[in-house]
Amino acid sequence: MRLVHTVSELKEVLAEVRTERSIGFVPTMGALHKGHLSLIERCQQDGNFTVVSIFVNPLQFSSEADYEGYPRTLGVDARLLTDASVDVLFAPSAAEVFPKEQSFPEIDPGVVGERFEGEFRPGHFAGMLKVVSRLLDIVVPDGAYFGEKDAQQVALVTQMVDAQVHSGRREPMSVMVCPTIRSEQGLALSSRNLRLSGAELESATELYGALVAGSKAGKQSAEIVEAAKAALSPAIRLEYLELVDASSFEIVERIPSGGARLIIAAWVGDVRLIDNLLIGGSK
Ligand code: PAF
């Protein structure tokens, strides 16, 4: 694996590869786990030259403390990526991604970005889209790989890429969505889980338990949400738990024929977790 820190070196490496191979890109903020490795595996299975980025993007954190507290484990991550036979690890500094002498457009997340995560984490989606757009401009991949755990992020990235391709601002590329990877107890893998104590890890499995309970409760939103909430103990401080349309994230009254997403965000101790489950429909 080649470790690259600068945009110019990355572009040089990719210019040579691009003539012969498709390029697959897995953007991450590091603290890698099996969820990230599953995205990499899928990217490789698709036959791509695989580029992984590790960049803790300051623009998508709502507080300095959250940004500073985000786990940074570059040495361990680099070893994992070498073992996973990744072709290039791009680990740039903030000055390399957003050099002061250049300006980068703000990207409006629109109405989908105002709901749920957008409401509870103001500015998060605008910051996330800005960095994803910038990284896609640097890597120019044929496909970029994202995890379904961050369902609203995936919806917004897909919306942004579609609009950019449609306007001619970006070459056609695919946004690939890969299934959430869970612990044996059902907890969705997340870099934030590293900050949970043993007892909190156990409580955190209730999030998935609630989604499953909801998914078995019928077709109406009210009964689904009620059953899901009933499966949560007081250790879980709920921010939202709703049944929504899978692409607009608008609340739905009942599961439509194509299915709906049951979404949850909650605090366990001082760690905020999100999860979701697609229910009903053909899947
Ligand atoms: O999902 C993440 O880890 C981040 O939001 C991403 C896509 C790497 C952008 O910083």
Side-chain angles (χ1 to χ4, degrees):
M1 184 188 72
R2 192 151 168 184
L3 172 60
V4 169
H5 294 289
T6 66
V7 172
S8 58
E9 191 186 349
L10 181 66
K11 285 191 168 167
E12 210 174 292
V13 173
L14 295 182
E16 269 181 42
V17 172
R18 209 177 293 285
T19 54
E20 291 173 2
R21 301 271 309 269
S22 60
I23 292 172
F25 179 43
V26 182
T28 82
M29 297 204 298
L32 302 177
H33 51 68
K34 286 186 182 147
H36 296 112
L37 295 179
S38 76
L39 303 181
I40 290 164
E41 208 175 304
R42 174 71 194 285
C43 181
Q44 291 169 327
Q45 279 165 0
D46 289 347
N48 293 302
F49 181 91
T50 299
V51 180
V52 175
S53 66
I54 295 183
F55 177 63
V56 184
N57 171 31
L59 304 180
Q60 69 187 79
F61 288 85
S62 26
S63 77
E64 189 68 24
D66 199 18
Y67 171 64
E68 292 301 338
Y70 200 83
R72 288 163 173 82
T73 55
L74 186 61
V76 178
D77 290 345
R79 277 195 293 282
L80 274 176
L81 296 176
T82 305
D83 290 349
S85 305
V86 162
D87 295 295
V88 173
L89 165 56
F90 178 49
S93 65
E96 192 64 28
V97 177
F98 294 117
K100 287 215 164 59
E101 57 281 9
Q102 261 174 277
S103 68
F104 299 93
E106 300 300 326
I107 295 165
D108 180 2
V111 284
V112 179
E114 284 166 16
R115 303 185 172 129
F116 301 103
E117 287 304 285
E119 188 184 334
F120 284 94
R121 302 180 68 190
H124 166 69
F125 282 138
M128 179 280 293
L129 288 175
K130 190 169 179 173
V131 84
V132 170
S133 184
R134 169 72 175 139
L135 291 170
L136 294 178
D137 286 347
I138 295 169
V139 179
V140 195
D142 297 280
Y145 293 73
F146 294 85
E148 197 179 357
K149 180 180 80 68
D150 296 300
Q152 214 177 341
Q153 165 169 284
V154 172
L156 289 170
V157 169
T158 306
Q159 170 187 291
M160 174 187 78
V161 168
D162 285 352
Q164 291 176 336
V165 170
H166 186 74
S167 70
R169 138 109 178 66
R170 181 177 304 291
E171 287 296 312
M173 59 162 283
S174 329
V175 175
M176 308 296 290
V177 187
C178 305
T180 303
I181 304 296
R182 301 181 179 281
S183 72
E184 264 175 41
Q185 294 73 31
L187 175 63
L189 298 193
S190 160
S191 308
R192 288 174 189 268
N193 296 353
L194 285 176
R195 289 166 45 197
L196 295 168
S197 69
E200 288 168 346
L201 266 173
E202 205 160 303
S203 298
T205 62
E206 290 179 31
L207 269 69
Y208 182 60
L211 297 179
V212 172
S215 74
K216 292 179 180 160
K219 291 262 178 223
Q220 301 293 333
S221 171
E223 54 194 0
I224 291 169
V225 170
E226 191 186 315
K229 283 187 178 165
L232 295 171
S233 76
I236 309 296
R237 295 191 331 275
L238 198 58
E239 268 189 353
Y240 60 74
L241 200 174
E242 295 289 356
L243 186 70
V244 300
D245 177 274
S247 37
S248 71
F249 282 77
E250 254 179 302
I251 291 178
V252 292
E253 291 290 310
R254 55 179 283 115
I255 303 176
S257 56
R261 214 174 268 285
L262 187 57
I263 57 172
I264 185 169
W267 290 85
V268 181
D270 63 356
V271 182
R272 185 177 184 277
L273 299 173
I274 60 171
D275 200 352
N276 70 84
L277 198 61
L278 196 60
I279 58 178
S282 52
K283 211 176 156 189

